[in-house]
């Protein structure tokens, strides 16, 4: 596993769903994640980008075993955790945590900040008595920039940014090694976003945390990530080290996606704007044959309808899945 903390190999997560118009009809298969591979080393951030519905959250939730994967393998610290029973997986519930997009719904409104942050300490038996637990809660609250007098208050008494700090403290309480950050700043004002990103970076440096950082915001992902993966319709279509990816986009979808971002440089912006994404994302219930992007790709040829290109190294670990890109 090349010393990776997290290794994801050919991960598949399919959901059986029923058409709302025919509850008694046959179940159909929705391929939310359809063969995704990547790895994350300790102290590193892997940014995951792609349009809404491409499967980013499902990747994160499947790694954390909130879903049982349909196929593929997940390794953590060199151990295959894909098929562990809930009991066997329990220790990993401590080391693998999640920070959610919406700090308004992810915190229980009936619990105080102290109860929210203290819960993982008790569940994972990280403290031996109430005094120790209270002391640790005070430490965590201070680490995320909140005050002692916040401990007895309820989530509704806080701003969005403060709630996200509570969410981060809860995630850090169990001393994790890996955190899925699912759009952690998307719901926040721009000025607050930077504070939360700085906090996440600070904790990464302090504790050597690995992050899977999911976001729509390509500039935030560029800022925080060491490596970036681009998803389209349940597939990973390109991944590379951050500067390589943003400086040398190879996949037609990545180029289109990035061209939708307003660039600071007007000349670059003009060049990029020539590539526009046309048409809607196809349904993951009925994806196109061959390459998933072919219905919107200007470079598509006959082979693209026949075979889904596999991810291949185009040089120095820059992985691309496109019939038109070769090493
Ligand atoms: N529990 C579920 N049951 C059935 N379908 C699901 C479930 N969770 C997600 N899906 C479907 O799987 C696909 C991927 O969803 P997912 O939430 O992972 O996308 P996403 O990339 O995180 O999107 P967004 O950017 O909007 O958050 C979507 O078509 C979604 O409707
Ligand atoms: S494989 Fe074909 S359809 Fe897919 S991105 Fe490449 S050129 Fe476009
Ligand atoms: Mg999502």
């Amino acid at each position: 596993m090349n010393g990776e903390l997290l290794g994801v190999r050919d991960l598949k997560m399919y959901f059986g769903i029923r058409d709302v118009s025919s509850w008694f009809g046959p179940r159909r298969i929705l391929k939310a994640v359809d063969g995704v591979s990547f790895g994350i080393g300790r102290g590193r951030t892997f940014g995951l980008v792609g349009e809404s519905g491409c499967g980013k959250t499902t990747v994160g939730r499947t790694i954390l075993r909130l879903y049982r994967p349909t196929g593929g393998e997940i390794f953590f610290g060199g151990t295959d955790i894909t098929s562990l029973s809930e009991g066997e997986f329990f220790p990993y519930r401590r080391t693998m945590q999640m920070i959610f997009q919406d700090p308004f719904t992810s915190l229980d409104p009936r619990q105080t900040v102290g109860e929210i942050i203290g819960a993982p300490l008790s569940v994972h038996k990280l403290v031996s008595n109430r005094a120790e637990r209270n002391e640790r809660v005070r430490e965590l609250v201070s680490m995320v920039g909140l005050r002692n007098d916040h401990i007895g208050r309820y989530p509704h008494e806080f701003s969005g940014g403060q709630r996200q700090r509570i969410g981060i403290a809860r995630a850090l309480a169990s001393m994790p090694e890996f955190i899925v950050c699912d759009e952690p700043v998307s719901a926040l004002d721009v000025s607050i976003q930077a504070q939360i990103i700085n906090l996440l970076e600070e904790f990464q440096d302090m504790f050597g945390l690995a992050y899977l950082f999911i976001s729509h915001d390509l500039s935030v992902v560029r800022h925080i990530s060491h490596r970036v993966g681009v998803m389209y319709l349940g597939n990973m279509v390109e991944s590379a080290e951050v500067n390589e990816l943003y400086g040398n986009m190879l996949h037609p979808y990545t180029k289109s996606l990035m061209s939708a971002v307003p660039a600071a440089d007007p000349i670059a912006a003009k060049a990029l704007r020539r590539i526009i994404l046309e048409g809607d994302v196809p349904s993951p219930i009925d994806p196109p044959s061959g390459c998933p992007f072919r219905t919107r790709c200007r470079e598509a040829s006959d082979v693209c309808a026949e075979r889904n290109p596999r991810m291949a190294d185009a040089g120095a670990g820059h992985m691309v899945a496109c019939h038109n890109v070769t090493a």
Side-chain angles (χ1 to χ4, degrees), residues 56-57 182-183 214:
K56 304 180 296 296
T57 294
D182 190 359
E183 307 265 9
I214 298 170

Side-chain angles (χ1 to χ4, degrees), residues 115-154:
E115 286 164 343
I116 292 169
I117 300 173
L121 298 172
S122 304
V123 168
H124 295 288
K125 299 189 170 50
L126 299 170
V127 286
S128 40
N129 55 47
R130 182 173 286 268
E132 226 178 272
R133 176 175 140 143
N134 291 346
E135 178 54 31
R136 183 78 184 118
V137 167
R138 279 196 291 275
E139 255 173 44
L140 286 156
V141 159
S142 147
M143 267 165 58
V144 297
L146 296 173
R147 299 190 310 265
N148 270 352
D149 63 285
H150 286 143
I151 292 172
R153 298 195 196 169
Y154 291 88

Side-chain angles (χ1 to χ4, degrees), residues 49-72:
V49 299
E51 284 164 288
S52 183
C54 70
K56 304 180 296 296
T57 294
T58 306
V59 167
R61 293 179 66 91
T62 311
I63 291 169
L64 297 183
R65 283 286 306 276
L66 298 172
Y67 303 131
R68 196 164 271 274
T70 310

